[in-house]
Amino acid sequence: MDVRLSNEYGFTGLEAAIVLIAFVVVAAVFSYVVLGAGFFTSQTAQSTVHTGVQQASSSMELVGNVYGFQEPNNNYLAYINMTIALTAGGTPIDMSDVVVSYNDGTTHWTNMNYAGEDCWGPLDVMLGGITTPNQMQGAWCIAQVNNNATSDTSTLLGPNEQYILAIQMPDTATPNTQFTVYLQPAVGAVLPVTRTLPGGFTPVMALY
């Protein structure tokens, strides 16, 4: 009688090899995905840190008081002066790119007109002839530069420099009105300046 014995040892070994190869391939693909996600996350975190540092280093701060000026025979404030400088360790800011906004709850100017540099004196001279308080977006200018050791005539606010800004006010800037002026550089944090107008005006007054 012919008895044939079956031996599946070889076939079982081939199955084990196929399963091992499949595990290796899956593990390799999974490792690639995990490493790729890790690299992407690392690059995103690095970019976020760099952006945060750039934003923090490009910031302005208010120096001293804010002063208000009243035009004769008007019951509203004509314009204000404020002095700004870079924060400690800050990078230079081009003031011609700064967006100045105004809001007092009634009047909201989102992007006031930049009227240039070296303006000083009465409102019509200071703002280059813009004397209408109801101008669509108002106007502002660089009235004076202090501590400019290099005699730089550009609008770049550098370390140790102080820029005195003249900012036009609308006819809604009446006594007891609270207003906020926002200074937004091209890169960096917004500088909000909030003041409340006194109950009675004088030609020149400090605002708190």
Side-chain angles (χ1 to χ4, degrees), residues 147-172:
N147 301 334
N148 190 353
T150 60
S151 298
D152 184 11
T153 58
S154 69
T155 58
L156 202 63
L157 175 62
N160 302 320
E161 290 184 342
Q162 295 180 352
Y163 277 28
I164 300 178
L165 307 183
I167 301 174
Q168 184 183 9
M169 302 288 281
D171 58 359
T172 54

Side-chain angles (χ1 to χ4, degrees), residues 109-196:
W109 288 336
T110 57
N111 187 2
M112 300 178 68
N113 300 305
Y114 175 57
E117 307 86 46
D118 299 326
C119 53
W120 192 258
L123 187 62
D124 56 342
V125 177
M126 180 193 69
L127 296 178
I130 301 176
T131 58
T132 306
N134 290 321
Q135 185 93 9
M136 181 61 69
Q137 293 296 334
W140 71 279
C141 66
I142 300 173
Q144 186 175 330
V145 178
N146 295 332
N147 301 334
N148 190 353
T150 60
S151 298
D152 184 11
T153 58
S154 69
T155 58
L156 202 63
L157 175 62
N160 302 320
E161 290 184 342
Q162 295 180 352
Y163 277 28
I164 300 178
L165 307 183
I167 301 174
Q168 184 183 9
M169 302 288 281
D171 58 359
T172 54
T174 53
N176 300 315
T177 298
Q178 185 182 71
F179 69 90
T180 302
V181 173
Y182 302 91
L183 306 179
Q184 172 66 70
V187 176
V190 178
L191 173 63
V193 178
T194 301
R195 293 292 185 272
T196 299

Side-chain angles (χ1 to χ4, degrees), residues 37-121:
F39 289 145
F40 175 77
T41 303
S42 177
Q43 291 174 354
T44 302
Q46 185 179 17
S47 175
T48 302
V49 169
H50 287 168
T51 302
V53 170
Q54 187 179 29
Q55 291 280 348
S57 63
S58 299
S59 299
M60 300 176 292
E61 63 179 356
L62 184 66
V63 179
N65 293 326
V66 176
Y67 293 94
F69 298 83
Q70 181 191 24
E71 287 285 278
N73 303 320
N74 288 337
N75 66 338
Y76 56 85
L77 211 60
Y79 64 95
I80 61 173
N81 281 160
M82 66 173 67
T83 304
I84 60 168
L86 293 177
T87 54
T91 56
I93 296 175
D94 189 350
M95 293 303 299
S96 63
D97 292 334
V98 172
V99 175
V100 178
S101 304
Y102 172 91
N103 183 35
D104 62 13
T106 301
T107 300
H108 182 51
W109 288 336
T110 57
N111 187 2
M112 300 178 68
N113 300 305
Y114 175 57
E117 307 86 46
D118 299 326
C119 53
W120 192 258

